Amino acid sequence: DQQVKQNSPSLSVQEGRISILNCDYTNSMFDYFLWYKKYPAEGPTFLISISSIKDKNEDGRFTVFLNKSAKHLSLHIVPSQPGDSAVYFCAASEISGAGSYQLTFGKGTKLSVIP
Amino acid sequence: DAGVTQSPTHLIKTRGQQVTLRCSPKSGHDTVSWYQQALGQGPQFIFQYYEEEERQRGNFPDRFSGHQFPNYSSELNVNALLLGDSALYLCASSLLAGLGNEQFFGPGTRLTVL
């Protein structure tokens, strides 16, 4: 029973264009969402996050959109660069009270940015 | 400022053996979480330690156990290894009272069970 789903295993985008990575979730209790980037032989690196009280969060070239009613979020990378080529994981957690709660991850989407 | 470190990098064991993996959290962090990442899958939560106690646990059998030391470093122990335990084991550190839920990951330990 996958609570966080990334339905596209891979995505290829031309350098300079927009990359859009999608993520769906089923657990209504999730209220905090994160994107991580992973290069081979390295651990996941935190990229950007969004709380359920927002519908958009921007950080430089990266923007995350959240549609709570559709239980869907997306990561936009503009403009895409060859160095963005990596596996991107969507993750979700419940935050009730203080604390670092467990992250539930999707299976990842491998992004290839073509020069 | 050192990030999250893990040791060893790679490990090969045989079925039935026991293994111990180690993690040092990022400076200033007090919470350590462990994840298992099988090939082609996303990381799966094993458990989380804070103040030397297990505060959350995922859907893993009792063969998986852990420990956190007073300096916040942590160990993951797996007993009676099975072939299916072959995976990348990731340690993540965070601040329990921190904003949001950003966890910082180490490079992982690649465990192969033969």
Side-chain angles (χ1 to χ4, degrees):
Chain A
D1 171 29
Q2 260 205 297
Q3 298 187 67
V4 176
K5 298 177 186 177
Q6 294 178 258
N7 292 319
S8 298
S10 63
L11 176 68
S12 286
V13 171
Q14 209 71 30
E15 180 179 3
R17 306 295 291 269
I18 184 171
S19 295
I20 300 176
L21 295 95
N22 294 303
C23 178
D24 297 293
Y25 62 96
T26 57
N27 187 342
S28 302
M29 299 302 293
F30 287 148
D31 52 13
Y32 200 80
F33 304 89
L34 308 90
W35 284 93
Y36 281 83
K37 178 170 74 172
K38 188 179 186 302
Y39 295 117
E42 294 183 13
T45 303
F46 170 74
L47 205 53
I48 192 169
S49 61
I50 188 167
S51 162
S52 60
I53 62 173
K54 294 185 174 181
D55 54 18
K56 179 181 173 182
N57 189 26
E58 275 183 272
D59 184 2
R61 296 186 298 115
F62 303 91
T63 303
V64 56
F65 295 92
L66 175 62
N67 183 333
K68 277 191 69 179
S69 59
K71 293 192 177 67
H72 177 83
L73 63 153
S74 60
L75 174 68
H76 292 209
I77 306 174
V78 184
S80 301
Q81 299 173 354
D84 296 330
S85 297
V87 177
Y88 288 77
F89 289 100
C90 172
S93 71
E94 303 173 39
I95 296 188
S96 49
S100 286
Y101 284 79
Q102 67 183 73
L103 297 177
T104 301
F105 283 85
K107 289 187 177 183
T109 296
K110 184 176 181 180
L111 173 66
S112 300
V113 180
I114 303 159
Chain B
D1 175 27
V4 179
T5 60
Q6 293 186 244
S7 63
T9 308
H10 295 87
L11 207 48
I12 299 175
K13 292 285 187 178
T14 55
R15 279 178 297 175
Q17 285 189 311
Q18 178 263 345
V19 69
T20 297
L21 311 181
R22 295 175 176 83
C23 171
S24 289
K26 183 177 165 66
S27 177
H29 283 182
D30 56 12
T31 304
V32 173
S33 303
W34 286 92
Y35 292 81
Q36 180 197 65
Q37 186 180 11
L39 205 59
Q41 304 293 315
Q44 264 201 296
F45 177 76
I46 303 175
F47 42 54
Q48 183 181 86
Y49 277 83
Y50 171 70
E51 288 191 340
E52 302 178 49
E53 291 201 0
E54 182 184 295
R55 64 186 299 273
Q56 278 191 302
R57 189 179 182 93
N59 189 23
F60 278 80
D62 292 345
R63 297 187 297 109
F64 289 77
S65 63
H67 189 77
Q68 186 181 33
F69 300 93
N71 66 353
Y72 307 118
S73 67
S74 176
E75 287 181 351
L76 164 66
N77 301 291
V78 187
N79 294 323
L81 284 167
L82 304 173
L83 295 179
D85 295 332
S86 295
L88 179 68
Y89 288 85
L90 294 162
C91 169
S93 75
S94 54
L95 197 57
L96 191 74
L99 292 175
N101 195 14
E102 290 85 1
Q103 296 182 17
F104 293 80
F105 285 82
T109 294
R110 172 72 63 187
L111 173 65
T112 302
V113 182
L114 302 176

mmCIF file of all heavy atoms in Angstrom, chain A residues 38-44 89, chain B residues 6 8-10 21 34-39 41-44 46 60 76 84-91 105-112:
data_model
loop_
_atom_site.group_PDB
_atom_site.id
_atom_site.type_symbol
_atom_site.label_atom_id
_atom_site.label_comp_id
_atom_site.label_asym_id
_atom_site.label_seq_id
_atom_site.Cartn_x
_atom_site.Cartn_y
_atom_site.Cartn_z
ATOM 1 N N LYS A 38 18.781 12.941 -5.184
ATOM 2 C CA LYS A 38 19.802 11.945 -4.858
ATOM 3 C C LYS A 38 20.679 11.652 -6.064
ATOM 4 O O LYS A 38 20.194 11.235 -7.114
ATOM 5 C CB LYS A 38 19.147 10.647 -4.351
ATOM 6 C CG LYS A 38 20.153 9.633 -3.820
ATOM 7 C CD LYS A 38 19.469 8.390 -3.312
ATOM 8 C CE LYS A 38 20.460 7.425 -2.646
ATOM 9 N NZ LYS A 38 21.540 7.001 -3.530
ATOM 10 N N TYR A 39 21.984 11.849 -5.863
ATOM 11 C CA TYR A 39 22.974 11.431 -6.849
ATOM 12 C C TYR A 39 23.449 10.022 -6.482
ATOM 13 O O TYR A 39 23.383 9.627 -5.317
ATOM 14 C CB TYR A 39 24.171 12.377 -6.855
ATOM 15 C CG TYR A 39 23.868 13.787 -7.307
ATOM 16 C CD1 TYR A 39 24.035 14.868 -6.449
ATOM 17 C CD2 TYR A 39 23.425 14.051 -8.604
ATOM 18 C CE1 TYR A 39 23.779 16.166 -6.857
ATOM 19 C CE2 TYR A 39 23.158 15.348 -9.021
ATOM 20 C CZ TYR A 39 23.337 16.400 -8.137
ATOM 21 O OH TYR A 39 23.076 17.686 -8.547
ATOM 22 N N PRO A 40 23.958 9.269 -7.468
ATOM 23 C CA PRO A 40 24.488 7.938 -7.180
ATOM 24 C C PRO A 40 25.577 7.993 -6.110
ATOM 25 O O PRO A 40 26.363 8.943 -6.078
ATOM 26 C CB PRO A 40 25.070 7.485 -8.518
ATOM 27 C CG PRO A 40 24.323 8.268 -9.537
ATOM 28 C CD PRO A 40 24.028 9.596 -8.910
ATOM 29 N N ALA A 41 25.596 7.027 -5.241
ATOM 30 C CA ALA A 41 26.607 6.885 -4.189
ATOM 31 C C ALA A 41 26.561 8.014 -3.153
ATOM 32 O O ALA A 41 27.528 8.198 -2.399
ATOM 33 C CB ALA A 41 28.015 6.780 -4.773
ATOM 34 N N GLU A 42 25.481 8.762 -3.115
ATOM 35 C CA GLU A 42 25.311 9.784 -2.086
ATOM 36 C C GLU A 42 23.955 9.600 -1.423
ATOM 37 O O GLU A 42 23.045 8.978 -1.981
ATOM 38 C CB GLU A 42 25.389 11.190 -2.689
ATOM 39 C CG GLU A 42 26.747 11.553 -3.246
ATOM 40 C CD GLU A 42 26.788 12.986 -3.760
ATOM 41 O OE1 GLU A 42 25.851 13.748 -3.451
ATOM 42 O OE2 GLU A 42 27.740 13.328 -4.466
ATOM 43 N N GLY A 43 23.810 10.167 -0.226
ATOM 44 C CA GLY A 43 22.514 10.147 0.419
ATOM 45 C C GLY A 43 21.611 11.213 -0.177
ATOM 46 O O GLY A 43 22.071 12.132 -0.856
ATOM 47 N N PRO A 44 20.299 11.121 0.057
ATOM 48 C CA PRO A 44 19.377 12.151 -0.438
ATOM 49 C C PRO A 44 19.703 13.510 0.161
ATOM 50 O O PRO A 44 20.056 13.610 1.335
ATOM 51 C CB PRO A 44 18.010 11.655 0.048
ATOM 52 C CG PRO A 44 18.181 10.191 0.298
ATOM 53 C CD PRO A 44 19.590 10.026 0.754
ATOM 54 N N PHE A 89 13.080 12.416 -5.083
ATOM 55 C CA PHE A 89 12.124 11.721 -4.225
ATOM 56 C C PHE A 89 11.166 12.722 -3.598
ATOM 57 O O PHE A 89 11.584 13.764 -3.079
ATOM 58 C CB PHE A 89 12.841 10.969 -3.097
ATOM 59 C CG PHE A 89 13.618 9.765 -3.546
ATOM 60 C CD1 PHE A 89 14.991 9.835 -3.712
ATOM 61 C CD2 PHE A 89 12.984 8.571 -3.792
ATOM 62 C CE1 PHE A 89 15.718 8.720 -4.126
ATOM 63 C CE2 PHE A 89 13.689 7.450 -4.206
ATOM 64 C CZ PHE A 89 15.062 7.527 -4.374
ATOM 65 N N GLN B 6 28.424 8.036 8.097
ATOM 66 C CA GLN B 6 28.039 6.655 8.347
ATOM 67 C C GLN B 6 29.219 5.739 8.091
ATOM 68 O O GLN B 6 30.046 5.998 7.221
ATOM 69 C CB GLN B 6 26.879 6.233 7.430
ATOM 70 C CG GLN B 6 25.581 6.942 7.721
ATOM 71 C CD GLN B 6 24.438 6.393 6.883
ATOM 72 O OE1 GLN B 6 23.863 7.104 6.058
ATOM 73 N NE2 GLN B 6 24.095 5.112 7.080
ATOM 74 N N PRO B 8 30.243 1.243 8.176
ATOM 75 C CA PRO B 8 31.162 1.362 7.045
ATOM 76 C C PRO B 8 30.426 1.800 5.779
ATOM 77 O O PRO B 8 29.211 1.961 5.801
ATOM 78 C CB PRO B 8 31.686 -0.070 6.909
ATOM 79 C CG PRO B 8 30.540 -0.920 7.349
ATOM 80 C CD PRO B 8 29.858 -0.157 8.458
ATOM 81 N N THR B 9 31.149 1.961 4.694
ATOM 82 C CA THR B 9 30.545 2.345 3.425
ATOM 83 C C THR B 9 29.874 1.146 2.772
ATOM 84 O O THR B 9 28.762 1.257 2.244
ATOM 85 C CB THR B 9 31.617 2.894 2.467
ATOM 86 O OG1 THR B 9 32.335 3.913 3.139
ATOM 87 C CG2 THR B 9 30.983 3.450 1.217
ATOM 88 N N HIS B 10 30.594 0.026 2.808
ATOM 89 C CA HIS B 10 30.070 -1.219 2.232
ATOM 90 C C HIS B 10 30.302 -2.353 3.221
ATOM 91 O O HIS B 10 31.249 -2.318 4.015
ATOM 92 C CB HIS B 10 30.787 -1.579 0.918
ATOM 93 C CG HIS B 10 30.559 -0.615 -0.186
ATOM 94 N ND1 HIS B 10 31.336 0.513 -0.358
ATOM 95 C CD2 HIS B 10 29.637 -0.588 -1.164
ATOM 96 C CE1 HIS B 10 30.899 1.171 -1.411
ATOM 97 N NE2 HIS B 10 29.875 0.535 -1.918
ATOM 98 N N LEU B 21 25.637 -1.171 12.084
ATOM 99 C CA LEU B 21 25.946 -0.004 11.274
ATOM 100 C C LEU B 21 25.968 1.217 12.189
ATOM 101 O O LEU B 21 25.200 1.286 13.154
ATOM 102 C CB LEU B 21 24.888 0.190 10.174
ATOM 103 C CG LEU B 21 24.542 -1.036 9.332
ATOM 104 C CD1 LEU B 21 23.511 -0.680 8.271
ATOM 105 C CD2 LEU B 21 25.778 -1.638 8.710
ATOM 106 N N TRP B 34 16.615 6.043 10.956
ATOM 107 C CA TRP B 34 17.222 5.070 10.042
ATOM 108 C C TRP B 34 16.209 4.664 8.980
ATOM 109 O O TRP B 34 15.013 4.474 9.279
ATOM 110 C CB TRP B 34 17.676 3.834 10.818
ATOM 111 C CG TRP B 34 18.895 4.032 11.647
ATOM 112 C CD1 TRP B 34 18.956 4.402 12.968
ATOM 113 C CD2 TRP B 34 20.260 3.856 11.234
ATOM 114 N NE1 TRP B 34 20.260 4.471 13.381
ATOM 115 C CE2 TRP B 34 21.079 4.135 12.341
ATOM 116 C CE3 TRP B 34 20.870 3.484 10.031
ATOM 117 C CZ2 TRP B 34 22.477 4.054 12.292
ATOM 118 C CZ3 TRP B 34 22.253 3.403 9.987
ATOM 119 C CH2 TRP B 34 23.034 3.683 11.092
ATOM 120 N N TYR B 35 16.706 4.528 7.753
ATOM 121 C CA TYR B 35 15.873 4.137 6.630
ATOM 122 C C TYR B 35 16.561 3.010 5.860
ATOM 123 O O TYR B 35 17.792 2.957 5.787
ATOM 124 C CB TYR B 35 15.646 5.313 5.672
ATOM 125 C CG TYR B 35 14.809 6.433 6.237
ATOM 126 C CD1 TYR B 35 15.360 7.391 7.083
ATOM 127 C CD2 TYR B 35 13.459 6.542 5.925
ATOM 128 C CE1 TYR B 35 14.592 8.417 7.616
ATOM 129 C CE2 TYR B 35 12.678 7.569 6.440
ATOM 130 C CZ TYR B 35 13.247 8.498 7.284
ATOM 131 O OH TYR B 35 12.470 9.519 7.797
ATOM 132 N N GLN B 36 15.752 2.153 5.258
ATOM 133 C CA GLN B 36 16.260 1.105 4.375
ATOM 134 C C GLN B 36 15.804 1.430 2.953
ATOM 135 O O GLN B 36 14.622 1.670 2.714
ATOM 136 C CB GLN B 36 15.693 -0.261 4.785
ATOM 137 C CG GLN B 36 16.159 -1.419 3.915
ATOM 138 C CD GLN B 36 15.281 -2.655 4.082
ATOM 139 O OE1 GLN B 36 14.109 -2.665 3.741
ATOM 140 N NE2 GLN B 36 15.867 -3.713 4.638
ATOM 141 N N GLN B 37 16.753 1.446 2.013
ATOM 142 C CA GLN B 37 16.399 1.687 0.617
ATOM 143 C C GLN B 37 16.776 0.472 -0.221
ATOM 144 O O GLN B 37 17.962 0.243 -0.492
ATOM 145 C CB GLN B 37 17.063 2.943 0.062
ATOM 146 C CG GLN B 37 16.577 3.285 -1.337
ATOM 147 C CD GLN B 37 17.197 4.522 -1.927
ATOM 148 O OE1 GLN B 37 18.167 5.067 -1.404
ATOM 149 N NE2 GLN B 37 16.637 4.991 -3.025
ATOM 150 N N ALA B 38 15.780 -0.289 -0.626
ATOM 151 C CA ALA B 38 16.003 -1.421 -1.524
ATOM 152 C C ALA B 38 16.154 -0.885 -2.945
ATOM 153 O O ALA B 38 15.741 0.242 -3.248
ATOM 154 C CB ALA B 38 14.842 -2.396 -1.433
ATOM 155 N N LEU B 39 16.710 -1.711 -3.814
ATOM 156 C CA LEU B 39 16.968 -1.303 -5.197
ATOM 157 C C LEU B 39 15.669 -0.901 -5.890
ATOM 158 O O LEU B 39 14.675 -1.627 -5.844
ATOM 159 C CB LEU B 39 17.620 -2.474 -5.939
ATOM 160 C CG LEU B 39 18.493 -2.118 -7.140
ATOM 161 C CD1 LEU B 39 19.621 -1.198 -6.717
ATOM 162 C CD2 LEU B 39 19.041 -3.384 -7.781
ATOM 163 N N GLN B 41 13.589 1.362 -5.079
ATOM 164 C CA GLN B 41 12.536 1.828 -4.168
ATOM 165 C C GLN B 41 12.964 3.115 -3.480
ATOM 166 O O GLN B 41 14.136 3.490 -3.504
ATOM 167 C CB GLN B 41 12.269 0.765 -3.091
ATOM 168 C CG GLN B 41 11.912 -0.592 -3.624
ATOM 169 C CD GLN B 41 10.581 -0.591 -4.337
ATOM 170 O OE1 GLN B 41 9.598 -0.015 -3.844
ATOM 171 N NE2 GLN B 41 10.524 -1.216 -5.501
ATOM 172 N N GLY B 42 12.000 3.776 -2.865
ATOM 173 C CA GLY B 42 12.335 4.911 -2.033
ATOM 174 C C GLY B 42 12.753 4.436 -0.649
ATOM 175 O O GLY B 42 12.495 3.286 -0.271
ATOM 176 N N PRO B 43 13.403 5.283 0.123
ATOM 177 C CA PRO B 43 13.776 4.902 1.492
ATOM 178 C C PRO B 43 12.535 4.567 2.319
ATOM 179 O O PRO B 43 11.503 5.225 2.204
ATOM 180 C CB PRO B 43 14.470 6.154 2.023
ATOM 181 C CG PRO B 43 14.960 6.881 0.802
ATOM 182 C CD PRO B 43 13.923 6.616 -0.244
ATOM 183 N N GLN B 44 12.672 3.520 3.161
ATOM 184 C CA GLN B 44 11.587 3.120 4.072
ATOM 185 C C GLN B 44 12.027 3.322 5.503
ATOM 186 O O GLN B 44 13.113 2.848 5.897
ATOM 187 C CB GLN B 44 11.264 1.642 3.851
ATOM 188 C CG GLN B 44 10.113 1.401 2.906
ATOM 189 C CD GLN B 44 9.533 0.012 3.118
ATOM 190 O OE1 GLN B 44 10.220 -0.978 2.890
ATOM 191 N NE2 GLN B 44 8.292 -0.068 3.547
ATOM 192 N N ILE B 46 12.717 2.936 9.278
ATOM 193 C CA ILE B 46 12.894 1.806 10.203
ATOM 194 C C ILE B 46 12.517 2.240 11.617
ATOM 195 O O ILE B 46 11.609 1.698 12.235
ATOM 196 C CB ILE B 46 14.346 1.278 10.170
ATOM 197 C CG1 ILE B 46 14.732 0.867 8.753
ATOM 198 C CG2 ILE B 46 14.488 0.096 11.139
ATOM 199 C CD1 ILE B 46 16.196 0.453 8.609
ATOM 200 N N PHE B 60 9.034 -2.839 10.609
ATOM 201 C CA PHE B 60 10.189 -3.725 10.505
ATOM 202 C C PHE B 60 10.179 -4.689 11.688
ATOM 203 O O PHE B 60 9.777 -4.310 12.792
ATOM 204 C CB PHE B 60 11.491 -2.914 10.489
ATOM 205 C CG PHE B 60 11.825 -2.355 9.129
ATOM 206 C CD1 PHE B 60 11.206 -1.208 8.661
ATOM 207 C CD2 PHE B 60 12.741 -2.995 8.317
ATOM 208 C CE1 PHE B 60 11.495 -0.703 7.407
ATOM 209 C CE2 PHE B 60 13.048 -2.492 7.058
ATOM 210 C CZ PHE B 60 12.413 -1.352 6.606
ATOM 211 N N LEU B 76 22.619 0.881 14.244
ATOM 212 C CA LEU B 76 21.533 0.026 13.779
ATOM 213 C C LEU B 76 22.065 -1.395 13.794
ATOM 214 O O LEU B 76 23.123 -1.662 13.217
ATOM 215 C CB LEU B 76 21.102 0.424 12.369
ATOM 216 C CG LEU B 76 20.259 -0.584 11.580
ATOM 217 C CD1 LEU B 76 18.901 -0.778 12.226
ATOM 218 C CD2 LEU B 76 20.089 -0.115 10.126
ATOM 219 N N GLY B 84 16.929 -10.780 1.827
ATOM 220 C CA GLY B 84 16.106 -9.589 1.579
ATOM 221 C C GLY B 84 16.535 -8.364 2.369
ATOM 222 O O GLY B 84 16.000 -7.272 2.144
ATOM 223 N N ASP B 85 17.498 -8.535 3.281
ATOM 224 C CA ASP B 85 18.005 -7.380 4.025
ATOM 225 C C ASP B 85 19.051 -6.623 3.222
ATOM 226 O O ASP B 85 19.496 -5.549 3.646
ATOM 227 C CB ASP B 85 18.614 -7.823 5.355
ATOM 228 C CG ASP B 85 17.585 -8.424 6.301
ATOM 229 O OD1 ASP B 85 16.396 -8.045 6.217
ATOM 230 O OD2 ASP B 85 17.969 -9.294 7.123
ATOM 231 N N SER B 86 19.440 -7.158 2.077
ATOM 232 C CA SER B 86 20.399 -6.465 1.217
ATOM 233 C C SER B 86 19.777 -5.157 0.751
ATOM 234 O O SER B 86 18.706 -5.149 0.134
ATOM 235 C CB SER B 86 20.750 -7.323 0.007
ATOM 236 O OG SER B 86 21.420 -8.494 0.388
ATOM 237 N N ALA B 87 20.450 -4.053 1.051
ATOM 238 C CA ALA B 87 19.884 -2.730 0.742
ATOM 239 C C ALA B 87 20.897 -1.666 1.103
ATOM 240 O O ALA B 87 21.957 -1.957 1.673
ATOM 241 C CB ALA B 87 18.593 -2.496 1.535
ATOM 242 N N LEU B 88 20.539 -0.427 0.787
ATOM 243 C CA LEU B 88 21.293 0.735 1.249
ATOM 244 C C LEU B 88 20.631 1.217 2.537
ATOM 245 O O LEU B 88 19.417 1.461 2.556
ATOM 246 C CB LEU B 88 21.262 1.841 0.191
ATOM 247 C CG LEU B 88 21.993 3.140 0.525
ATOM 248 C CD1 LEU B 88 23.516 2.898 0.572
ATOM 249 C CD2 LEU B 88 21.669 4.225 -0.507
ATOM 250 N N TYR B 89 21.401 1.326 3.606
ATOM 251 C CA TYR B 89 20.862 1.782 4.877
ATOM 252 C C TYR B 89 21.282 3.226 5.106
ATOM 253 O O TYR B 89 22.476 3.542 5.154
ATOM 254 C CB TYR B 89 21.320 0.873 6.012
ATOM 255 C CG TYR B 89 20.613 -0.462 5.949
ATOM 256 C CD1 TYR B 89 21.103 -1.486 5.133
ATOM 257 C CD2 TYR B 89 19.426 -0.682 6.643
ATOM 258 C CE1 TYR B 89 20.426 -2.697 5.029
ATOM 259 C CE2 TYR B 89 18.755 -1.886 6.548
ATOM 260 C CZ TYR B 89 19.257 -2.885 5.728
ATOM 261 O OH TYR B 89 18.584 -4.080 5.616
ATOM 262 N N LEU B 90 20.287 4.072 5.239
ATOM 263 C CA LEU B 90 20.512 5.507 5.355
ATOM 264 C C LEU B 90 20.207 5.984 6.769
ATOM 265 O O LEU B 90 19.212 5.590 7.371
ATOM 266 C CB LEU B 90 19.610 6.264 4.369
ATOM 267 C CG LEU B 90 19.897 6.030 2.892
ATOM 268 C CD1 LEU B 90 18.705 6.455 2.047
ATOM 269 C CD2 LEU B 90 21.145 6.775 2.458
ATOM 270 N N CYS B 91 21.064 6.828 7.247
ATOM 271 C CA CYS B 91 20.849 7.482 8.527
ATOM 272 C C CYS B 91 20.513 8.939 8.249
ATOM 273 O O CYS B 91 21.106 9.558 7.348
ATOM 274 C CB CYS B 91 22.126 7.366 9.358
ATOM 275 S SG CYS B 91 22.146 8.390 10.838
ATOM 276 N N PHE B 105 20.509 13.561 5.397
ATOM 277 C CA PHE B 105 20.924 12.178 5.223
ATOM 278 C C PHE B 105 22.434 12.027 5.068
ATOM 279 O O PHE B 105 23.112 12.891 4.498
ATOM 280 C CB PHE B 105 20.255 11.573 3.992
ATOM 281 C CG PHE B 105 18.804 11.241 4.196
ATOM 282 C CD1 PHE B 105 17.839 12.210 4.077
ATOM 283 C CD2 PHE B 105 18.418 9.945 4.521
ATOM 284 C CE1 PHE B 105 16.488 11.909 4.281
ATOM 285 C CE2 PHE B 105 17.085 9.631 4.722
ATOM 286 C CZ PHE B 105 16.115 10.614 4.603
ATOM 287 N N GLY B 106 22.923 10.895 5.557
ATOM 288 C CA GLY B 106 24.290 10.490 5.298
ATOM 289 C C GLY B 106 24.383 9.775 3.968
ATOM 290 O O GLY B 106 23.359 9.561 3.299
ATOM 291 N N PRO B 107 25.593 9.361 3.581
ATOM 292 C CA PRO B 107 25.792 8.707 2.282
ATOM 293 C C PRO B 107 25.287 7.269 2.250
ATOM 294 O O PRO B 107 25.129 6.692 1.181
ATOM 295 C CB PRO B 107 27.302 8.764 2.078
ATOM 296 C CG PRO B 107 27.849 8.838 3.464
ATOM 297 C CD PRO B 107 26.867 9.599 4.278
ATOM 298 N N GLY B 108 25.048 6.687 3.419
ATOM 299 C CA GLY B 108 24.515 5.334 3.466
ATOM 300 C C GLY B 108 25.571 4.260 3.614
ATOM 301 O O GLY B 108 26.763 4.479 3.359
ATOM 302 N N THR B 109 25.126 3.099 4.055
ATOM 303 C CA THR B 109 25.935 1.886 4.098
ATOM 304 C C THR B 109 25.271 0.861 3.192
ATOM 305 O O THR B 109 24.089 0.553 3.369
ATOM 306 C CB THR B 109 26.026 1.306 5.525
ATOM 307 O OG1 THR B 109 26.739 2.199 6.363
ATOM 308 C CG2 THR B 109 26.732 -0.045 5.501
ATOM 309 N N ARG B 110 26.028 0.369 2.223
ATOM 310 C CA ARG B 110 25.511 -0.653 1.299
ATOM 311 C C ARG B 110 25.758 -2.025 1.919
ATOM 312 O O ARG B 110 26.900 -2.440 2.070
ATOM 313 C CB ARG B 110 26.202 -0.536 -0.049
ATOM 314 C CG ARG B 110 25.890 -1.645 -1.033
ATOM 315 C CD ARG B 110 24.492 -1.560 -1.586
ATOM 316 N NE ARG B 110 24.259 -0.337 -2.353
ATOM 317 C CZ ARG B 110 23.076 0.022 -2.816
ATOM 318 N NH1 ARG B 110 22.016 -0.723 -2.595
ATOM 319 N NH2 ARG B 110 22.943 1.137 -3.509
ATOM 320 N N LEU B 111 24.683 -2.718 2.291
ATOM 321 C CA LEU B 111 24.780 -4.055 2.881
ATOM 322 C C LEU B 111 24.391 -5.095 1.847
ATOM 323 O O LEU B 111 23.319 -5.009 1.246
ATOM 324 C CB LEU B 111 23.859 -4.174 4.105
ATOM 325 C CG LEU B 111 23.733 -5.572 4.715
ATOM 326 C CD1 LEU B 111 25.061 -6.045 5.290
ATOM 327 C CD2 LEU B 111 22.647 -5.592 5.793
ATOM 328 N N THR B 112 25.273 -6.060 1.652
ATOM 329 C CA THR B 112 24.982 -7.186 0.774
ATOM 330 C C THR B 112 24.971 -8.455 1.606
ATOM 331 O O THR B 112 25.936 -8.728 2.326
ATOM 332 C CB THR B 112 26.033 -7.317 -0.340
ATOM 333 O OG1 THR B 112 26.078 -6.092 -1.092
ATOM 334 C CG2 THR B 112 25.706 -8.469 -1.273
#
